Amino acid sequence: MHPDAANLWRGPRWALAVLLAVLGMLGPFSIDTYIPAFSGIGAALGATPVEMQQTLSAYLFGFAFMNLFHGALADSFGRRPVVLTGLAVFTLASAGCALSQSVGQLVLLRALQGLSTGAGIVVSRTVIRDVFPPSQAQRVMSQVTIYFGVAPAVAPMVGGWLFVHLGWHSIFWFLTAVGVVLWTANFRLLPETLHPSQRQPFNVRNLMAGYWQLLSSPRFMLLALASGVPFNGMFLYVLAAPAFLGEHLHLGPTQFFWFFILTIGGIMGGAWTSGRLAGRIAPKRQIRHGFLIMLAVGLVNLAANLLFAAQPWWALPPIGVFAFGWALMVPVVTLLVLDLYPERRGMASSLQACVGSVANGLVAGVVAPLVMHSTPALAAASLAMLGVGLASWIGLHHRWPEIGHSVAEG
C-alpha cells in the first residue's frame, strides 16, 4: 500500500470503483460496440468477411501483447502516466478508425486501440490494492466486477443503435468521445498511487528479473490459472452463442437477451456477495465456496445435457449460476495474486491478465469451434475449463495452505 493511502482518495469508495470500473470496461466495450456493424463496415470498405475478422484479431493480439508491459511500465513510471497515455492513444486511434478509408487502415488502427486499452484493466487492479487494505480492496474489486459485468450487455445495444441511425463511422466517433471524457476524468480525479520509494528501475535487466521471478513462481502461476481459466467455463457459451442459442435451443435473435441477462446477473450477484463477505470469512473459504458452486452446477449441467435434449428453461440458468460462482471467488484470487509480490503489483496484474487473454484466445480459436456442434460437448468443455482452475487451486492449497487463510490488513 501507499504509505499515505488514507489521503489519496477522499471521496466515496463507490466513486473510485466507478472510475476504475469504466477504465477496466474500456477494452471489452470497444470490442463489442462495433460488432453489430461488421457487415455494414465490410460493405462500405469493400472488405471480405475474413478481412473484417482481421480487424478483431488485430485488436485482440494488440491487447494481449501489451498486457505484458502495461504493469511493468506502471511499476516504473507510476500509475497515472500509463493510464493517461493509454487513453490518449486510444482516443487518437478511435478517431483514426472513424476516418479509415480502407480495411487495411482499419486493421492497423484497431491494433493500436488494442495496444492501448489494456492499460485500464491492468492498472485499475493495482490502484485498488495501492489505496485499500485487503478487506476494503475486496469490496472495491467486487464493485468493479459488478460494473464490469454491464459492458457486454450495453456495448452491442449502443453500437447497434449508432450503426442503424448514424452509420458505422459514428461508433468510432462515439469511442473517441468516450476516450476524451475518460482522459479528462482521470486527469482530474485519478491520484498517483505508487509511492516514489516503491518504483522499480526501468531497465532490461530489472524487467527480465521481474518476469522471471513471477513466471518461475509456482504460487503465482497456480493463482493466475485459478482466476483466469474458469472464466472460460461461461465465456465458451458466449463464443458459441449463435449455435448454442439459435441451433440447439431454437431461440430467435430477439430472445438471445435472456442468456445475457442470466449471465450478467450471475456476475453481478456473485460480485455483490463477494463484497458483502469481505472481511467476514477467510479468503480461502470464499474461494472454496465459489469453486464448489461452479463444480456442482457444472456436473449437473453435464448430466442434464447427456440425458435430455436441451431446452431453454433448464439449459440457460446453469450458466448464470456458474457466473455467480466465478464472480464470488475471482476478486479474492486477484488480490492474492497482487499481494504475492507487492513491489511488482503492476507486473503481476499484467501477467495475470496475459494468462487470461491466452486462455480466452485458445478457447475462442480452438475449443469453441470443436464443441459448439453439441450441447453435451459444450457442457463437458465448460467443466474441463473449471477443472483446470480447480486443480490449480487444490494444488496451491495443498502445497501452501497458509495462502488465503486470513485477511491481513497491510
Side-chain angles (χ1 to χ4, degrees), residues 4 7 9 12 92 127 162-163 208 219 248 251 261 309 321 382:
D4 195 30
N7 296 316
W9 181 266
L92 293 173
V127 169
L162 289 171
F163 173 59
M208 291 301 101
R219 290 186 299 171
H248 299 309
L251 296 176
I261 285 177
V321 177
S382 174

Side-chain angles (χ1 to χ4, degrees), residues 291-311:
F291 272 118
L292 286 175
I293 290 170
M294 288 187 287
L295 179 60
V297 75
L299 290 171
V300 170
N301 186 43
L302 177 59
N305 278 281
L306 287 172
L307 295 172
F308 308 105
Q311 299 293 328

Side-chain angles (χ1 to χ4, degrees), residues 272-356:
W272 180 85
T273 305
S274 178
R276 296 288 294 176
L277 293 176
R280 299 185 180 185
I281 65 173
K284 67 191 312 180
R285 285 185 60 199
Q286 186 167 326
I287 294 170
R288 183 179 64 194
H289 294 339
F291 272 118
L292 286 175
I293 290 170
M294 288 187 287
L295 179 60
V297 75
L299 290 171
V300 170
N301 186 43
L302 177 59
N305 278 281
L306 287 172
L307 295 172
F308 308 105
Q311 299 293 328
W313 66 270
W314 64 258
L316 294 179
I319 304 168
V321 177
F322 190 102
F324 178 94
W326 175 81
L328 179 65
M329 67 90 179
V330 78
V332 188
V333 180
T334 298
L335 290 173
L336 293 179
V337 169
L338 297 178
D339 283 348
L340 277 180
Y341 300 98
E343 73 281 4
R344 295 191 186 275
R345 281 200 178 108
M347 185 177 285
S349 181
S350 273
L351 289 176
Q352 183 192 28
C354 186
V355 169

Side-chain angles (χ1 to χ4, degrees), residues 58-78:
Y59 179 96
L60 293 173
F61 176 79
F63 184 84
F65 174 77
M66 199 60 195
N67 268 345
L68 287 169
F69 304 105
H70 286 305
L73 293 170
D75 284 340
S76 297
F77 299 108

